[in-house]
Amino acid sequence: MENLQLWQRYQDWLYYHAGLGLYVDISRMRFDESLIETLKPKFDQAFESIQALENGAIANPDEDRMVGHYWLRNPDIAPTEDIKNEIVSSLQDIDTFVQKVHTGAIKPPQAFKFTDILSVGIGGSALGPQFVAEALALDTAPMNIHFIDNTDPTGIDRIFTRLKDRLKSTLVIITSKSGGTPETRNGMLEVKAAYENQGLDFAQHAVAITMTGSKMYEFAKSGGWLAIFPMFDWVGGRTSELSAVGLLPAALQGIDIHQMLEGAKIMDEATRIRDIKTNPAVLLAMSWYHSGNGKGEKDMVMLPYKDSLLLFSRYLQQLIMESLGKEKDLDGNTVYQGIAVYGNKGSTDQHAYVQQLREGVPNFFVTFVEVLEDREGTSIEVEPGVTSGDYLSGLLQGTRQALYENHRDSVTITIPQVNALTVGALIALYERTVSLYACLVNINAYHQPGVEAGKKAAASILELQNKVVEAIESASESLDITTLADRSGATDQIEAVYKIVRHLAANKRGIKLEGDFSKPSSLKVSAA
């Protein structure tokens, strides 16, 4: 009887989009239908707010910015003719540039063609392009892509080691809205130095994606770089994959960016429908709200059952957590909102953390992503009548059922195959869901004061480092950590001073540290 009831619930709550072949199944979320009536006024208000955004309302009062990533895939709905023309022109420029690179009309000075792409960016400037590359790039792609997405020297060196002599045939894309992001600036300077060390002209390999008039724009323009593509003030990093940030590297890899845009446009249209049961983003937002009691009390575990979607959870981490993780609501109340996101892939997860999902702390809900097509072509039978893909499908269904039986809820999103159209649609689906959920819980999804606070704190440490080095160099004798902090004007930051000198000493930066390292206060610091 229970199975028949579940079957009916499945049919009652199944969403299907015929044009995309996409399903959203929320039947294994244990919400009561009374929730619909509770949330309906909130959704009505949410749709009004989102309509205002699409019409050009200011969404980020901290920076006086509009939010218009929806316009990227449908320039006709942009609020001004100038914005529409900027979008259309940017797309045309990407198409033209990529065609010239692929044919060799634009080529490096010391190679016949560009063979590789080195993308330097952080956050949304890296996570989206990485996800799309993993999902859609073919092994026979016209160019291979590599990423510097951190200011980790070892990680940077690893990329250079992989490229070796192909550096001379590598196209470098530097992505930074302002040019002032330290991690991206550091990566650019590291790459520039690597080119100069090989006697190569960096400018003849370099492309910038940045805002017109920014520091990066002026640097690239004065340096004679190959091209500059625009970042728009009204597109945030976490929603920038379908701008030049994601489209340029994708197109260079031979990915059909126009199909990605079309998939997002189709999904945007589907998620504008003001009806709970026939709008997939509403269904997801309602499920998130129900699971976490509107307070993010449960984590979201992403389990895509396809290797190519491995990085989907990492991409969604930023989109969801940076958008929804807020201390204050729109009325200034302290609310501590957010939804933690993590994930692996099926069926790898069967051998990793499903044991805890099944029997451990019930502080989560799962989102399964199912791909109907196993592979291009036919599959061998690994057992009579059973293929590898059958096993994968069986593991997904079995895990979903096993979790539900132990009162662990889940959502299942199903797509026919992983292609440019469906990936574009998934991106748009989650962008809209985030907007709707943010409205339900009365927060601003489009600012990130916590990120800015972290950047300021990091800058203050580097400023302190300069004072610490000056104090050491001017001292006539070795200093203990407390005295060094006092002379650096940082009496109340002794731990920070200790960690600065420990790092400098470990990297042979002219600082010597002596004493009992298990007792930091006993250490003596001097110039090496």
Side-chain angles (χ1 to χ4, degrees):
M1 180 62 71
E2 183 183 1
N3 285 341
L4 290 176
Q5 290 173 339
L6 280 176
W7 168 237
Q8 188 58 53
R9 183 175 172 84
Y10 174 79
Q11 294 179 85
D12 289 344
W13 286 100
L14 182 66
Y15 171 85
Y16 176 66
H17 192 291
L20 295 167
L22 177 145
Y23 302 78
V24 175
D25 162 29
I26 64 167
S27 65
R28 294 320 191 256
M29 302 294 289
R30 287 180 171 83
F31 61 88
D32 188 273
E33 297 209 15
S34 62
L35 180 66
I36 300 171
E37 292 306 312
T38 301
L39 293 182
K40 190 177 185 306
K42 292 178 180 287
F43 275 121
D44 289 341
Q45 186 177 357
F47 278 113
E48 292 299 325
S49 298
I50 291 172
Q51 184 62 59
L53 290 186
E54 292 196 345
N55 290 341
I58 298 299
N60 187 343
D62 296 352
E63 300 170 298
D64 194 33
R65 287 180 179 172
M66 299 182 291
V67 170
H69 47 276
Y70 309 107
W71 310 330
L72 295 167
R73 45 265 199 170
N74 188 2
D76 289 335
I77 68 170
T80 70
E81 198 68 19
D82 285 345
I83 291 177
K84 173 183 174 179
N85 292 337
E86 282 180 331
I87 298 168
V88 172
S89 175
S90 172
L91 260 178
Q92 291 171 343
D93 290 346
I94 289 171
D95 286 338
T96 300
F97 180 80
V98 170
Q99 191 268 339
K100 288 182 177 180
V101 169
H102 285 170
T103 60
I106 294 176
K107 70 182 197 69
Q110 297 187 24
F112 179 67
K113 271 188 181 182
F114 283 111
T115 59
D116 293 79
I117 308 156
L118 178 53
S119 173
V120 181
I122 195 167
S125 298
L127 289 166
Q130 287 170 337
F131 161 54
V132 168
E134 183 75 16
L136 298 176
L138 301 174
D139 290 337
T140 55
M143 301 176 74
N144 298 313
I145 194 164
H146 316 265
F147 293 92
I148 291 178
D149 62 352
N150 199 2
T151 187
D152 172 16
T154 304
I156 293 170
D157 288 346
R158 184 180 296 124
I159 296 298
F160 293 146
T161 299
R162 289 174 185 167
L163 284 169
K164 294 182 180 177
D165 59 351
R166 293 203 314 281
L167 203 63
K168 67 174 183 275
S169 62
T170 295
L171 181 72
V172 181
I173 302 174
I174 309 291
T175 304
S176 176
K177 184 172 260 187
S178 66
T181 304
E183 296 93 335
T184 305
R185 178 206 61 204
N186 296 353
M188 180 194 71
L189 294 174
E190 291 266 8
V191 173
K192 187 171 183 289
Y195 273 84
E196 291 169 352
N197 288 340
Q198 289 195 22
L200 301 170
D201 183 359
F202 173 69
Q204 295 304 304
H205 296 252
V207 172
I209 302 176
T210 188
M211 278 183 59
T212 302
S214 71
K215 291 179 183 178
M216 179 65 68
Y217 178 91
E218 297 300 336
F219 187 78
K221 187 177 180 181
S222 64
W225 289 19
L226 288 174
I228 304 174
F229 293 92
M231 292 182 81
F232 303 119
D233 185 61
W234 36 266
V235 176
R238 55 191 176 278
T239 56
S240 65
E241 174 53 28
L242 297 179
S243 71
V245 171
L247 297 180
L248 177 61
L252 287 166
Q253 293 169 86
I255 295 167
D256 189 340
I257 61 173
H258 295 279
Q259 278 290 287
M260 285 177 62
L261 290 167
E262 181 65 16
K265 179 182 177 181
I266 292 170
M267 183 55 73
D268 283 345
E269 292 166 354
T271 56
R272 289 190 185 102
I273 295 171
R274 300 193 179 199
D275 176 70
I276 287 180
K277 280 202 169 186
T278 58
N279 182 321
V282 169
L283 294 175
L284 290 181
M286 183 176 72
S287 298
W288 297 2
Y289 189 94
H290 158 73
S291 183
N293 293 319
K295 300 176 183 178
E297 292 174 357
K298 291 192 176 181
D299 301 341
M300 184 187 309
V301 182
M302 296 297 303
L303 295 180
Y305 275 63
K306 207 67 173 175
D307 286 358
S308 60
L309 296 179
L310 171 65
L311 297 183
F312 194 33
S313 61
R314 285 188 62 196
Y315 166 74
L316 290 179
Q317 275 179 340
Q318 183 189 18
L319 175 64
I320 294 171
M321 295 177 72
E322 190 168 89
S323 298
L324 302 182
K326 301 294 160 64
E327 181 179 348
K328 304 287 186 181
D329 68 10
L330 293 173
D331 300 319
N333 301 311
T334 299
V335 290
Y336 298 120
Q337 277 288 354
I339 299 177
V341 180
Y342 64 95
N344 199 346
K345 67 177 181 180
S347 64
T348 299
D349 59 273
Q350 312 296 136
H351 305 279
Y353 47 69
V354 163
Q355 169 63 31
Q356 177 164 318
L357 298 184
R358 176 70 166 79
E359 298 183 3
V361 184
N363 61 343
F364 65 91
F365 67 96
V366 172
T367 299
F368 294 101
V369 183
E370 176 184 27
V371 181
L372 293 177
E373 182 181 273
D374 291 338
R375 58 155 51 103
E376 290 185 16
T378 58
S379 294
I380 65 165
E381 294 183 356
V382 294
E383 291 179 11
V386 178
T387 67
S388 298
D390 295 339
Y391 260 105
L392 192 65
S393 179
L395 287 164
L396 188 158
Q397 302 306 328
T399 303
R400 173 175 173 267
Q401 181 63 23
L403 292 177
Y404 185 77
E405 287 173 353
N406 218 29
H407 300 279
R408 271 71 169 166
D409 288 357
S410 68
V411 169
T412 302
I413 296 173
T414 302
I415 55 176
Q417 58 182 204
V418 179
N419 58 36
L421 189 77
T422 56
V423 166
L426 287 174
I427 289 170
L429 173 60
Y430 275 90
E431 286 177 347
R432 183 79 75 177
T433 304
V434 163
S435 295
L436 288 167
Y437 182 86
C439 291
L440 294 184
V441 298
N442 195 37
I443 60 168
N444 186 345
Y446 299 111
H447 69 156
Q448 47 281 335
V451 175
E452 300 307 317
K455 290 179 180 179
K456 290 177 182 177
S460 69
I461 290 294
L462 295 175
E463 184 179 344
L464 176 58
Q465 178 174 303
N466 290 332
K467 294 177 181 178
V468 168
V469 171
E470 288 176 10
I472 294 170
E473 291 177 344
S474 63
S476 57
E477 71 287 337
S478 61
L479 305 172
D480 61 61
I481 300 294
T482 302
T483 302
L484 176 58
D486 186 50
R487 292 192 184 183
S488 303
T491 306
D492 60 344
Q493 292 181 275
I494 299 176
E495 183 176 328
V497 170
Y498 159 68
K499 290 188 174 181
I500 286 169
V501 295
R502 185 179 66 176
H503 176 256
L504 294 174
N507 287 278
K508 300 179 175 61
R509 299 275 297 282
I511 303 296
K512 185 165 62 174
L513 203 56
E514 297 176 301
D516 184 348
F517 284 85
S518 69
K519 298 177 180 177
S521 61
S522 72
L523 295 173
K524 295 289 186 177
V525 186
S526 60

